[in-house]
């Protein structure tokens, strides 16, 4: 059984889906709350909507709300969320697991992430895996950029604007902590 829940954040209505193994999907806001709900239902047509959240899912919702309001200053709450990535291909699981390790307020390029995975020629494949991230923003694919300071693309509603907004929130939340965030066209 898959359960679905929509919740409000500072950036709009988000969604989360889970089963007995963990979170199997999350999403950033669409243009309207109804579109966000419809998108989650499309992704999980057999899912049942509920407002009865197990404590671990309630904690996941709070972590996303805190991230999207700029109140999260480290990744511990996000890293504590158990994901069920069993439906994903192995390479995508590896990419998303490595992406989760990029610290809040920092960025890597697709090529740097590919090199960390021991596949330095796989930057495009990393980009494709990130573009199909079913766990945004829990898995922070917005922290992965094209070469240099180019932000690259972003498949969530709002595209590059949303990606840059997330990076700006994180930069402000971690401003007092040294880190590596590429110069972006803020």
């Amino acid at each position: 059984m898959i359960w679905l829940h929509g919740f409000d954040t500072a950036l709009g209505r988000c969604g989360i889906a889970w089963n007995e193994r963990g979170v199997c999907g999350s999403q950033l806001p669409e243009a309207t709350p109804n579109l966000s709900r419809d998108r989650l239902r499309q992704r999980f047509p057999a899912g049942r909507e509920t407002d009865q959240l197990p404590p671990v899912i309630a904690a996941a919702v709070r972590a996303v709300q805190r991230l999207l309001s700029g109140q999260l200053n480290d990744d511990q709450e996000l890293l504590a969320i158990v994901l069920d990535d069993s439906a994903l291909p192995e390479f995508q699981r590896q990419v998303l697991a490595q992406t989760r390790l990029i610290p809040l307020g920092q960025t890597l390029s697709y090529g740097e992430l590919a090199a960390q995975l021991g596949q330095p020629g796989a930057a495009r494949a990393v980009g494709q895996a990130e573009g199909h991230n079913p766990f945004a923003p829990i898995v922070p694919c917005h922290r992965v950029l094209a070469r240099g300071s180019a932000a690259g693309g972003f498949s969530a509603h709002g595209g590059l604007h949303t990606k840059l907004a997330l990076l700006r929130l994180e930069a402000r939340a971690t401003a007092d902590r040294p880190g590596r965030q590429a110069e972006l066209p803020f």
Side-chain angles (χ1 to χ4, degrees), residues 108 110 141-154 160-161 163-164 167 182-185:
L108 289 177
Y110 297 115
C141 55
H142 59 277
R143 296 179 193 159
V144 185
L145 310 175
R147 186 178 316 163
S149 64
F154 198 55
L160 189 54
H161 174 75
K163 183 175 192 168
L164 293 174
L167 292 171
E183 291 297 318
L184 297 172

Side-chain angles (χ1 to χ4, degrees), residues 63-123:
V64 171
Q65 288 171 323
R66 286 172 40 78
L67 174 71
L68 299 184
S69 68
Q71 296 175 357
L72 206 62
N73 59 14
D74 67 42
D75 285 306
Q76 294 314 304
E77 291 176 60
L78 294 174
L79 290 171
I81 299 169
V82 175
L83 301 179
D84 176 13
D85 63 0
S86 61
L88 302 178
E90 179 60 28
F91 181 74
Q92 188 176 13
R93 282 198 305 272
Q94 292 173 7
V95 168
L96 298 181
Q98 194 65 33
T99 300
R100 281 188 98 182
L101 300 178
I102 301 170
L104 185 79
Q106 296 185 31
T107 59
L108 289 177
S109 71
Y110 297 115
E112 289 169 325
L113 194 58
Q116 286 184 356
L117 293 168
Q119 299 186 41

Side-chain angles (χ1 to χ4, degrees), residues 126-181:
V126 165
Q128 289 174 347
E130 299 287 5
H132 293 95
N133 173 11
F135 304 111
I138 296 167
V139 174
C141 55
H142 59 277
R143 296 179 193 159
V144 185
L145 310 175
R147 186 178 316 163
S149 64
F154 198 55
S155 59
H157 171 73
L160 189 54
H161 174 75
T162 299
K163 183 175 192 168
L164 293 174
L166 291 169
L167 292 171
R168 280 193 292 278
L169 277 171
E170 291 185 8
R172 282 194 296 271
T174 60
D176 61 340
R177 197 170 69 213
R180 183 193 169 277
Q181 187 175 59

